[in-house]
Amino acid sequence: MPSLRFLPVSPRSLLRQQGRALWWVVLLVLIAAAVGGGLWWKQRQAAPAQADAPAGRGGPGGPGGRGAARFSAGGQTQPVSVGVVRRQDVRVQVNAIGTMSARATAVVRAKVSGELTSLRFKEGEEVKAGQLLAEIDPRSYQASLGQVQGNLARDQALLKNAQLDLKRYQDLLAKDSIASQQVDTQAAQVRQLEGTVAADQAQVDAARLQLSYTRITAPIAGRLGLRQADRGNVVGPSDATGIVTINLVRPIDAVFSVPEAHLAQINQRLAQGAELPVELWDREQKRRLARGRLGALDNAIDATTGTIKVKASFANDDGTLFPNQFVNVRLQVNLLENALTVPGTAIQNNYVYLVQPDGTVTQRRIRVGVADGDRVAVEGELKDGDQVVVDGIDRLREGAKVAVIDSGAAARADEAVQDGGARRAAMRNLTQEERDRLAKMTQEERRAFLRSKRNQPGAAGPAGAASGTVGSEAAAPAAAASAAAAPSPAASRPAGGRGAEGSRGATEGAPREMPRASTGAGAEDGPRSEGNPRAEGGAPDGERRPGMSPEVRALLEKMSPEERQKLQAMAPDERRAFIRSKMQAAGMAAPGAAASR
């Protein structure tokens, strides 16, 4: 056997071979990375197209496709509500908090002391200036007046006698029959008596004035408050509370503070002769109370708050504003004419979603300005008449397909369902006497009667709660009992002529009765037209309901109206047991067996 001989390998040759192998490995790794990167880029470019493709069976955007796996609403049309971009005048308003203050306030006090003998006003009424409000016992003041009047009459008589003596003395002096000193003395006495008479006249006037104060009148016109004194109380000028308070509230003022930053603009508008409108709103800012105009500014700025007090005037013709009432004030300091506006709910982070003609949306950046009610002035790439999304923004992205829906459709549908349920509840709660009276009414009278019953408190009574759901064996007997008890068989018939029992294929949670389609007749419209096959023959609606056995129908016909009402108010389980016991007692088949047939 020949021996094997190994040739020696040099270290340099070994290193050269290892280097070649390493280069091959690096080259293979780069090729694999390039291929993987190309596949990833291709998939990334195809993903948006798959997401926007219409959802179809077996397609990438259909059920189970990759587009639906990537986005929860991938490839689906999103329902949204939209608002219209339009140009309008926008008011630049300053919001503030203010209080109402009366234009004038007067506390009615007695000017003389005495006992109140009568009150001639009603609390809270409007009075005029000079109107009689109360009277004080005047007898003591009448006596004082009589006394000073007597002193006046006495002094007037003395003055008259002194004047006659002076005339005689003057005639004698002319004949040089009397001394001139005596004449001068008599003249001085006449002047003294004239002063006494003048003093007496002043006392008479003062007493007469005090007597007039016993009739208390309104010093100003306005609204009276609550009385502070009653008949029989002794009142006087020193009483702090007085008898009653009068506030002048027509017109009335509102006092509020605005930041000093708006002072220059307000002064400029006032200097131009412009009237600055002011609006008053309630606490929730949902109801406007009044409209007025700016009246005056304070003469100094409050250094602690950096605001200045402002007073606005309001006519208050309806008398809804009261002094010290809290109000929210909106002062209009400017008006932006023909500004571009959008609904406030359409703005999200200085962006809006614009609905394009092809049914997709695109984001548009805007600059937000002032708000006026639910509209906001904006600047951006929008045109008058464009549609922007106001509801459903959180489900949108750039290029998403949308379907515009009416924002009030759901609310109106829910209102119609609730109204239909209220009508049925009102029919179920009627007594037998009311049902008999309802059968004799005309269609308009029947509508008005049921509407009044629905508006009464507790109209939806326990009968409505015991109506139950589809799938109960006793649901049809209970509905038939309700129909048999009513004099108008079609008064509670569901829409489309269907019975209270739905098909077995319907869901368990479906309501027994659906609201009637809007054909112009409500649940209380009375019998159907003659062309309705269910109304032919005059049989009650409950006797023709599908799924009701003849035995159950016969049992219901034998029940009294009281038993039918009692059956209607039962729970589903109690209703089944009651029907089963009645049929067993009558020797008839159970309702379950009848239903199985």
Side-chain angles (χ1 to χ4, degrees):
M1 181 177 183
S3 60
L4 298 175
R5 300 177 68 181
F6 297 93
L7 297 176
V9 180
S10 62
R12 183 178 297 176
S13 177
L14 183 60
L15 290 174
R16 187 180 296 113
Q17 294 177 0
Q18 291 178 352
R20 292 176 180 174
L22 181 61
W23 279 108
W24 279 106
V25 172
V26 173
L27 182 61
L28 291 175
V29 170
L30 292 177
I31 293 174
V35 173
L39 293 176
W40 175 82
W41 178 257
K42 186 176 181 180
Q43 292 177 357
R44 183 179 178 85
Q45 294 294 327
Q50 293 175 356
D52 294 337
R57 186 178 301 275
R66 287 178 292 179
R70 185 174 179 86
F71 300 103
S72 59
Q76 298 180 0
T77 301
Q78 298 297 324
V80 296
S81 299
V82 298
V84 181
V85 180
R86 68 171 180 263
R87 291 190 176 275
Q88 66 180 41
D89 295 341
V90 178
R91 299 170 296 176
V92 180
Q93 295 179 327
V94 178
N95 296 330
I97 296 175
T99 54
M100 306 305 300
S101 63
R103 180 65 61 87
T105 301
V107 180
V108 180
R109 294 187 178 92
K111 296 181 180 180
V112 294
S113 298
E115 179 185 351
L116 281 176
T117 57
S118 65
L119 294 174
R120 301 295 184 88
F121 65 89
K122 293 181 180 180
E123 298 171 317
E125 71 175 355
E126 296 279 345
V127 296
K128 298 179 180 180
Q131 180 177 338
L132 180 63
L133 300 180
E135 289 181 321
I136 297 176
D137 187 3
R139 291 176 294 179
S140 62
Y141 299 97
Q142 289 174 349
S144 299
L145 177 61
Q147 182 179 2
V148 296
Q149 285 177 342
N151 294 336
L152 175 63
R154 180 197 61 191
D155 293 337
Q156 285 177 343
L158 293 175
L159 175 62
K160 186 67 175 176
N161 184 44
Q163 289 174 347
L164 292 175
D165 290 343
L166 177 60
K167 186 176 181 180
R168 295 189 189 100
Y169 291 162
Q170 289 174 349
D171 292 342
L172 293 175
L173 180 62
K175 298 177 181 180
D176 198 15
S177 301
I178 191 173
S180 61
Q181 183 180 0
Q182 190 174 356
V183 176
D184 294 339
T185 301
Q186 187 64 29
Q189 186 177 1
V190 170
R191 289 193 296 271
Q192 180 181 357
L193 290 176
E194 287 178 349
T196 302
V197 170
D200 292 342
Q201 184 64 48
Q203 290 181 357
V204 170
D205 294 340
R208 188 175 286 112
L209 181 62
Q210 294 293 314
L211 180 61
S212 68
Y213 285 160
T214 59
R215 291 172 57 87
I216 303 174
T217 58
I220 61 173
R223 179 182 293 162
L224 294 174
L226 303 179
R227 69 175 185 270
Q228 304 298 323
D230 296 323
R231 180 180 176 183
N233 295 157
V234 176
V235 296
S238 60
D239 295 340
T241 58
I243 299 176
V244 71
T245 302
I246 303 178
N247 285 327
L248 178 58
V249 295
R250 297 183 183 180
I252 194 171
D253 297 328
V255 179
F256 55 97
S257 299
V258 298
E260 59 178 327
H262 302 284
L263 182 58
Q265 189 175 11
I266 294 175
N267 284 329
Q268 181 182 0
R269 295 295 306 279
L270 291 177
Q272 295 173 353
E275 291 188 356
L276 301 185
V278 182
E279 294 181 354
L280 300 183
W281 294 75
D282 60 356
R283 288 180 179 270
E284 292 78 16
Q285 301 214 24
K286 296 181 179 178
R287 184 171 64 93
R288 185 174 59 201
L289 302 177
R291 285 181 176 177
R293 59 183 181 86
L294 186 66
L297 298 174
D298 201 358
N299 58 358
I301 296 175
D302 189 351
T304 58
T305 59
T307 59
I308 185 170
K309 287 186 177 180
V310 181
K311 180 181 288 187
S313 177
F314 300 88
N316 195 25
D317 293 331
D318 54 358
T320 57
L321 300 177
F322 283 78
N324 299 329
Q325 179 181 355
F326 171 88
V327 290
N328 287 296
V329 184
R330 298 179 184 177
L331 170 62
Q332 179 180 329
V333 297
N334 200 357
L335 182 66
L336 302 179
E337 298 181 356
N338 201 25
L340 195 66
T341 64
V342 298
T345 54
I347 302 174
Q348 187 179 44
N349 298 329
N350 294 331
Y351 281 93
V352 294
Y353 276 101
L354 176 66
V355 180
Q356 296 180 332
D358 59 352
T360 61
V361 293
T362 180
Q363 279 189 342
R364 291 293 172 87
R365 184 174 181 84
I366 58 174
R367 181 181 299 173
V368 181
V370 297
D372 185 4
D374 58 351
R375 307 287 297 184
V376 180
V378 297
E379 295 180 1
E381 298 180 1
L382 297 175
K383 297 181 299 182
D384 189 10
D386 287 346
Q387 291 184 339
V388 291
V389 179
V390 297
D391 189 13
I393 300 177
D394 54 342
R395 302 188 301 269
L396 299 181
R397 54 186 175 84
E398 180 67 24
K401 287 188 173 294
V402 295
V404 178
I405 61 173
D406 185 6
S407 59
R412 290 194 297 269
D414 182 66
E415 182 180 356
V417 171
Q418 293 180 359
D419 188 60
R423 287 197 300 265
R424 292 191 297 274
M427 285 294 299
R428 287 193 293 267
N429 294 335
L430 295 179
T431 62
Q432 186 63 34
E433 181 181 357
E434 291 175 333
R435 293 174 185 271
D436 296 338
R437 192 171 59 187
L438 187 68
K440 301 176 182 179
M441 295 181 181
T442 62
Q443 183 174 344
E444 291 76 10
E445 293 175 347
R446 190 179 298 116
R447 288 198 184 114
F449 176 77
L450 291 178
R451 190 177 298 110
S452 64
K453 295 294 289 185
R454 291 198 304 270
N455 295 334
Q456 292 179 359
S467 58
T469 57
V470 176
S472 172
E473 297 176 4
S482 175
S488 179
S492 60
R493 183 176 298 167
R498 298 180 58 186
E501 284 279 332
S503 62
R504 289 296 179 180
T507 56
E508 291 290 326
R512 278 195 306 168
E513 296 180 353
M514 296 297 292
R516 181 177 300 176
S518 57
T519 60
E524 66 275 14
D525 289 351
R528 299 289 185 100
S529 62
E530 297 179 358
N532 191 339
R534 297 186 59 86
E536 294 177 0
D541 187 37
E543 298 181 4
R544 295 178 179 267
R545 297 182 183 273
M548 182 185 298
S549 63
E551 293 83 359
V552 175
R553 188 179 301 110
L555 178 64
L556 292 175
E557 291 175 354
K558 296 179 181 180
M559 289 185 181
S560 63
E562 291 78 10
E563 288 179 331
R564 295 194 191 103
Q565 294 180 1
K566 179 180 178 182
L567 179 66
Q568 184 181 3
M570 291 182 180
D573 296 336
E574 297 177 354
R575 196 179 298 130
R576 295 192 198 98
F578 182 79
I579 293 292
R580 192 173 290 110
S581 62
K582 282 285 187 180
M583 297 186 70
Q584 290 177 356
M588 299 189 307
S596 63
R597 295 197 301 268

